Amino acid sequence: MLKNILASRPGLDDWLFSAKTFVAGMLALFIALAFDLDRPVWAMATVYIIANPLTGVLASKAVYRVVGTIIGAVFAVALVPNLVDAPVLLSLMMAGWVGLCLYLSRLDRTPRSYLFMLAGYTAAIIGFPCVTDPGTVFDVAVARVQEISLGIICATLVSHVVFPRHLGPVLAARIDRALQDVRDLAGLSFAGDHDDEKLHEDRIKLIADIGEIHGLAVHVGYERSSLNGMTRPLQALQNAMAALLPSLYSLHDRINALAATGPGIPQNVAVLLRSIDTWIQDANADPFDRTRINRLHNDISELARHYEVNRNWHDLLVINLCVRLHRLIGFYDDCQLLWAGIREGRVPQTVVDRWRDPGDKASLHVDYGLALRSGLTATLATLAVCLIWVETGWPNGSSAAMMAAVGTSILSFLDDPVPAQKGFITYTLFSVVVTLFYGYAVLPAIDGFPLLVAVFAPYLLLIGLLIPSPKTFIFALPMAVNTVMLLNISTRYSGNFASSIDGAVAMVSGFAVAAIVTAMMRSMTPDHSIRRLFQANWRDLANLARFDRVAPRMTVLRRLLDRQGLILPKLALAPNHRGQLMRAMPEVSIAANLFDLRRVRKGVNGDIADLLDRFLGGMANHFDLRTHDFDRKPDAELLTLLDEILMQATADQPQGQDVSCIADGLVGLVASRDMRNAAKPAQMDMDHNFKRRLVVSLVAMRRVLARNGEPDFGHGFQRITLPLSCANDIVPASLEGRA
């Protein structure tokens, strides 16, 4: 930590933030002292707890802190007087409440999660100290709500009035940067065979961009800025940008596949690719002008008409590429329309509806098992301290129990909270030294609020500089808050050395128990955390292959990308998983292809339907087994099955026969068996389009499973002889590492 502190180089924004936070804290303390509130330090500490350089983030945190405090206060008032004569039951109920609230908080990845966590440990902060005098619990609850609200009002007022830094411009800059990253990635993707390392880095950068935009956009409704009221369009924009990643991945793959064939990339295809890339790179193009976009779609459709569905791998790749280009243009066009509409205040509602799923929370990863373990950890730690308190009659046991609840809650977002909890204990001891210095060397010698401000300024201004940085936040926050809380400033100086030391011991003891219980119950390594995220992806893919309806398409794809975004920051502590993340990149494309195959499966029967069922079952089986065998490769039969389906789907159509009844069982939508009806042009067109959709899905899935080689199409082709149970007995080289 000392290295991070010495390496920090605060800028003007950091100095301004620290000064504003200090002014807000002193204002809250002054008002609390002027009105002789019970615990003025609660108001001052609240300012530092919710402090954030961005007004929108501070405001959202403030709203939920007030609501959570009120809920926790109500629970404490209802519980303590009724159970004070049954200390074990009271401890059990209070600990259970803390655990339940933390469990709910860990299930919610929006600012609302703060409400649940606050409701839990606020009940402990209010309730435990009132056990010896339950008649005061209502007054303490009211005082807590008053002083928390006062701190929030002061922090919000100063943040919004004194050189406010609104969230809107910051978010707008992040979105502009993300769209430029999209253009950079598109340029590399259109270039075809390029540096894989650079491509991988750009894909990771785009995933990080989407995660950062989500982290900021959830707060945009809590401030008055140019983006206020645009939460839903911003969510739609995030989903549209997320869809670009697998689309660009597929585009790059198809271009490389075409280049590897004998004929290579046809000249007309190369010209079309250059024109689309030129359009994407034009950041100043007017998205509301449809002329250029419509012309590109028409050019793609015209090119696709020159290629028929047959057993020519080169032609099938061109057809598949054309479909990918249509999708890419549509996705990027929607991104441009949404962002231009958000900035100009005229967002096309049809585009928003297309990209925003009804339950947006469902597109974010939620780890129910980890949430449950976090809740149980908070319950057991709080209960353990309570039992020690009850058995020993420790006068400051209430403070220790309170800190056990706080200590297991505020750091629960970490994979392994124990190092941070140990650090919190260390920094609390540092703050004890600062408290003793102020309490017994400085405060007795001053008189009046101006002098109080003057002596606090050097310490709190320097500490405030470290709060905005994630690297020093874990040091700065306890140093600021604990010092304020231990000093317990009121209208009259009342220094009590023994009480100060006992309070510090109780605070450290509560956190120590929290760290011990967390280490036994909840702690996990970054390696374990990454594995859980990968396994969650594989379970989703297995369900997609097994069931017709799992969740909306964009919900699933966004959730897969969200998990990859969660993995990124963990790689610094577990770099051995970097290769696994590269291997996981195509999984979003696999999910999209599974959706497509599931959809076309409803329109086929006979042999093709049976083969598709076997293939989808094999994919589900593969991802089920991979959750236990982390490095498992795809079964050889999957590629063999796919090639046989592709052979049958591309079989030549006999003259005059209904496309829906060709040999091997390809069936379009319900068609008449009457040969005269089969000759109707409308029916033939519909079946022809369906056939193309089926083959496009098959080609896409084959490219995901086998990046090298191409289907045999009957030259030495042998029908399937391998049973699914043979697993990895024979693994073609083309499938190595390509799941």
Side-chain angles (χ1 to χ4, degrees), residues 348-371:
Q349 191 57 44
T350 54
V351 182
V352 174
D353 294 340
R354 181 156 62 237
W355 286 105
R356 190 181 180 277
D357 294 320
D360 189 65
K361 275 199 312 181
S363 65
L364 299 177
H365 169 71
V366 175
D367 192 329
Y368 290 92
L370 187 58

Side-chain angles (χ1 to χ4, degrees), residues 72 74-99 120 123-124 126-134 137 379 382-387 389-390 398 401:
V74 170
F75 183 83
V77 170
L79 194 69
V80 173
N82 293 305
L83 295 179
V84 70
D85 294 327
V88 175
L89 180 58
L90 174 61
S91 300
L92 183 60
M93 292 293 291
M94 193 69 78
W97 171 257
V98 173
I126 294 172
F128 285 139
C130 295
V131 169
T132 54
D133 190 3
V137 67
T379 299
T382 307
L383 188 59
V385 177
C386 286
L387 294 178
W389 172 27
V390 170
S398 59

Side-chain angles (χ1 to χ4, degrees), residues 403 410-411 419-429 478 482 511:
M403 293 311 296
I410 61 174
L411 298 172
Q421 289 169 333
K422 290 179 179 177
F424 198 97
I425 294 171
T426 302
Y427 309 139
T428 298
L429 294 175
N482 289 346
F511 249 92

Side-chain angles (χ1 to χ4, degrees), residues 31-98:
I31 295 173
L33 291 172
F35 285 91
D36 198 20
L37 298 182
D38 289 344
R39 296 290 298 275
V41 291
W42 279 350
M44 184 178 174
T46 296
V47 171
Y48 278 89
I49 290 171
I50 69 169
N52 193 283
L54 299 175
T55 57
V57 178
L58 185 148
S60 70
K61 200 172 181 181
V63 168
Y64 288 117
R65 186 170 183 86
V66 170
V67 177
T69 299
I70 293 173
I71 294 173
V74 170
F75 183 83
V77 170
L79 194 69
V80 173
N82 293 305
L83 295 179
V84 70
D85 294 327
V88 175
L89 180 58
L90 174 61
S91 300
L92 183 60
M93 292 293 291
M94 193 69 78
W97 171 257
V98 173

